[in-house]
Amino acid sequence: MKKYYTRSDLAIESLAHAVKDKDYKHSEKKEGNVTIETFEILQTSELYPHEVGQYVEISFPDYQDISTLTEQFEKQLSTFIKAKTNTIDPLILFVGLGNETLTSDAIGPRTLKHIRATHHYPLDERHQNQYYDSMCVAPGVMARTGMETADIVQCLVEEFHPDMIIAIDALCAQSYEKICHVIQMNNVGIYPGSGIGNHRKSITESSMGVPVVAIGIPTVIHVSSLVSEVYNLLEGYFKESLDPSTSLKVGKRRRYEGRLNEVQRRLILGEIGQLDEQKRIQLLNEVLNPIESQFVMSDKDIDFDIEMISKILSSGINHLRY
């Protein structure tokens, strides 16, 4: 089989084959049902697409504890801002990346609709409320503007000289469970469209000349990753069916538990089921890519999810104080 790397914009997925403490460092904590994981990538590698830097992933199972989720997002973003700027009241340019008319790609523009822009406020009003000096722009996509998004942002940087850029964009996940259930932040920047193979100019500190913090929400998954996930579900289902202690389980659950042994896997799932996940996805890519059937898919509840997460992000941003 040819070698295809699974494309995921999430550090937690991309680092699956990396070596901890050599390629990256990892820490984790929980606040209620919200999990905050920090990845410090120490070196670049062919095993994963991420650059050297810090990545924070906030995972949540649902929207039952929005206050804790918003609070943790605000806390982590505030830490990134203070670590990357030397001024007390920096000018921040918020950039909402993506296509507002395509729901799965609209998290950036829709978040900006709810963000408080303060650059036009009187100075005494901003200081009295300790608001960050902020500007917002949703530059659209190249198919509509005819211009590279990075070029538009670069023009704004040259005109207004912001101290920092915060870019908000949709990401691609490898696991369906991550779709709209993770908020990722990094101090590296972003390559718009790279998760679905639509490579555009980067928005990074090296390309813009100012620090860049990227905020991303996984909203789509490749069909090859989804099919591979189905194999994992089948294996868990058959394992539970064969195990007397779990075969009587009924009702809904988040996932099936357990794995088949090698003989069971061969008999039930065949040769493809024998492959590990990475090789299985490589095979699926090899089958799907030549016939242009490597579709990118989203969840049926994507409209609701984008509405909820855009408000969570904007609420956390609006609560920021210097």
Side-chain angles (χ1 to χ4, degrees):
M1 288 185 295
K2 296 179 182 177
K3 196 163 190 176
Y4 292 95
Y5 290 111
T6 304
R7 185 59 176 115
S8 173
D9 292 312
L10 297 177
I12 192 172
E13 294 180 332
S14 295
L15 294 172
H17 299 284
V19 180
K20 187 177 179 181
D21 295 326
K22 176 187 176 184
D23 295 320
Y24 70 96
K25 292 183 178 179
H26 172 254
S27 62
E28 178 180 331
K29 66 175 183 177
K30 290 185 71 72
E31 294 288 342
N33 66 354
V34 177
T35 303
I36 303 98
E37 295 182 81
T38 302
F39 298 85
E40 189 75 34
I41 296 182
L42 305 174
Q43 61 183 6
T44 56
S45 170
E46 292 183 351
L47 294 174
Y48 48 85
H50 291 81
E51 301 292 332
V52 172
Q54 187 178 65
Y55 298 74
V56 173
E57 296 189 0
I58 304 173
S59 305
F60 51 97
D62 49 46
Y63 303 109
Q64 296 298 314
D65 196 359
I66 288 181
S67 59
T68 299
L69 178 56
T70 305
E71 179 185 335
Q72 291 303 315
F73 166 68
E74 176 192 342
K75 181 179 178 181
Q76 296 299 326
L77 181 57
S78 179
T79 300
F80 272 112
I81 292 172
K82 290 173 181 176
K84 297 294 285 185
T85 58
N86 296 319
T87 57
I88 296 177
D89 178 22
L91 172 57
I92 301 174
L93 173 61
F94 288 94
V95 181
L97 300 169
N99 186 345
E100 188 177 2
T101 63
L102 181 63
T103 306
S104 61
D105 196 34
I107 187 66
R110 294 194 186 178
T111 299
L112 256 61
K113 283 185 174 181
H114 307 292
I115 293 178
R116 181 199 309 110
T118 63
H119 189 61
H120 60 295
Y121 283 18
L123 189 61
D124 58 346
E125 182 179 351
R126 280 200 299 104
H127 286 180
Q128 182 179 355
N129 291 284
Q130 291 188 302
Y131 293 149
Y132 278 109
D133 187 2
S134 60
M135 301 184 297
C136 300
V137 63
V141 292
M142 193 176 185
R144 285 181 170 269
T145 65
M147 295 176 283
E148 282 274 6
T149 300
D151 291 339
I152 297 173
V153 176
Q154 183 66 62
C155 289
L156 293 171
V157 170
E158 293 172 359
E159 176 67 23
F160 293 100
H161 305 289
D163 297 294
M164 168 181 283
I165 296 170
I166 296 180
I168 306 168
D169 198 9
L171 305 179
C172 181
Q174 179 179 330
S175 169
Y176 72 94
E177 291 182 329
K178 301 292 184 183
I179 293 179
C180 292
H181 288 293
V182 176
I183 300 171
Q184 177 172 272
M185 289 174 275
N186 71 53
N187 59 6
V188 175
I190 198 163
Y191 293 78
S194 61
I196 58 172
N198 184 20
H199 298 280
R200 302 260 66 89
K201 289 183 179 179
S202 66
I203 299 176
T204 61
E205 184 169 357
S206 60
S207 63
M208 296 292 124
V210 296
V212 177
V213 170
I215 301 170
I217 308 296
T219 62
V220 295
I221 182 173
H222 285 293
V223 68
S224 57
S225 298
L226 185 59
V227 172
S228 183
E229 281 275 294
V230 171
Y231 268 96
N232 291 334
L233 292 174
L234 283 170
E235 184 175 357
Y237 169 78
F238 284 118
K239 176 62 177 177
E240 285 197 5
S241 300
L242 294 170
D243 187 343
S245 65
T246 59
S247 60
L248 297 179
K249 282 186 179 180
V250 295
K252 290 186 177 180
R253 66 200 88 171
R254 286 196 62 82
R255 62 165 43 247
Y256 298 105
E257 301 296 334
R259 287 288 176 264
L260 299 171
N261 61 41
E262 187 175 342
V263 175
Q264 292 171 330
R265 194 180 300 118
R266 182 185 298 111
L267 290 173
I268 296 173
L269 298 179
E271 291 301 319
I272 296 178
Q274 288 271 89
L275 301 173
D276 63 37
E277 189 166 16
Q278 186 72 7
K279 289 182 179 178
R280 188 162 59 232
I281 293 176
Q282 288 174 17
L283 174 61
L284 290 167
N285 278 322
E286 191 171 336
V287 171
L288 295 170
N289 287 344
I291 58 174
E292 298 184 350
S293 295
Q294 179 60 287
F295 301 118
V296 177
M297 307 167 71
S298 194
D299 189 82
K300 61 183 176 64
D301 296 322
I302 191 66
D303 294 274
F304 173 75
D305 288 329
I306 294 298
E307 182 69 19
M308 291 295 296
I309 296 175
S310 65
K311 290 181 177 178
I312 290 168
L313 297 182
S314 58
S315 177
I317 290 169
N318 288 336
H319 278 90
L320 288 169
R321 297 294 185 272
Y322 63 80

